[in-house]
Amino acid sequence: MTSIQRVNPWTPQLVQMDKDLKEKYGPNAHVIPAGDYTSFAPKQKPMPKRPWVMDETLPQYEDPMKKMQERMFKRALEQAENKAPAERNLADWYVIMQDRINSIPDIAKYAN
């Protein structure tokens, strides 16, 4: 098993430099030893890069934003259709017209 023991990078020279800095600039001055700060954990071995391949066995979920938009549209359509024509506002008429446009069959396949 690899050791995770911390390596002490402080040398007597660095301790003296730290004391000198504290005398010159105050108690908040610090010397930070330059070194390998990954010494707290085992070294990472280079991993070969493998391309990510999507698999058909992974479940494909529908976009949640699309689901929410469809539910909001259906709710707005029900509310607009339940109102009397004299009580409907512009947004209600827009939702009703959009529903009728969406229900038109695809004309492109009948163009030929």
Side-chain angles (χ1 to χ4, degrees):
M1 181 172 165
T2 307
S3 173
I4 307 180
Q5 181 179 1
R6 180 177 177 162
V7 177
N8 187 5
W10 289 93
T11 61
Q13 293 85 7
L14 284 176
V15 172
Q16 185 59 41
M17 284 176 59
D18 191 48
K19 287 181 182 177
D20 294 341
L21 273 178
K22 287 186 188 308
E23 289 175 7
K24 186 174 183 180
Y25 295 108
N28 292 329
H30 299 288
V31 169
I32 300 174
D36 186 15
Y37 290 105
T38 60
S39 61
F40 294 96
K43 300 285 184 195
Q44 296 289 328
K45 294 180 182 177
M47 296 290 290
K49 293 185 178 180
R50 295 186 180 107
W52 177 260
V53 179
M54 287 300 293
D55 190 358
E56 285 80 23
T57 59
L58 295 175
Q60 298 290 327
Y61 297 105
E62 189 177 349
D63 184 21
M65 289 298 293
K66 186 176 178 182
K67 279 185 176 180
M68 288 191 317
Q69 288 172 349
E70 288 174 0
R71 288 179 188 162
M72 288 172 22
F73 181 77
K74 285 180 184 178
R75 189 178 319 123
L77 180 63
E78 287 175 8
Q79 290 174 354
E81 288 177 341
N82 289 337
K83 291 181 183 178
E87 297 175 357
R88 292 179 184 155
N89 58 19
L90 181 63
D92 295 331
W93 287 110
Y94 175 76
V95 170
I96 292 170
M97 294 303 288
Q98 186 63 45
D99 180 55
R100 292 192 182 161
I101 290 171
N102 290 346
S103 66
I104 295 174
D106 188 16
I107 299 174
K109 63 182 176 183
Y110 299 113
N112 293 334

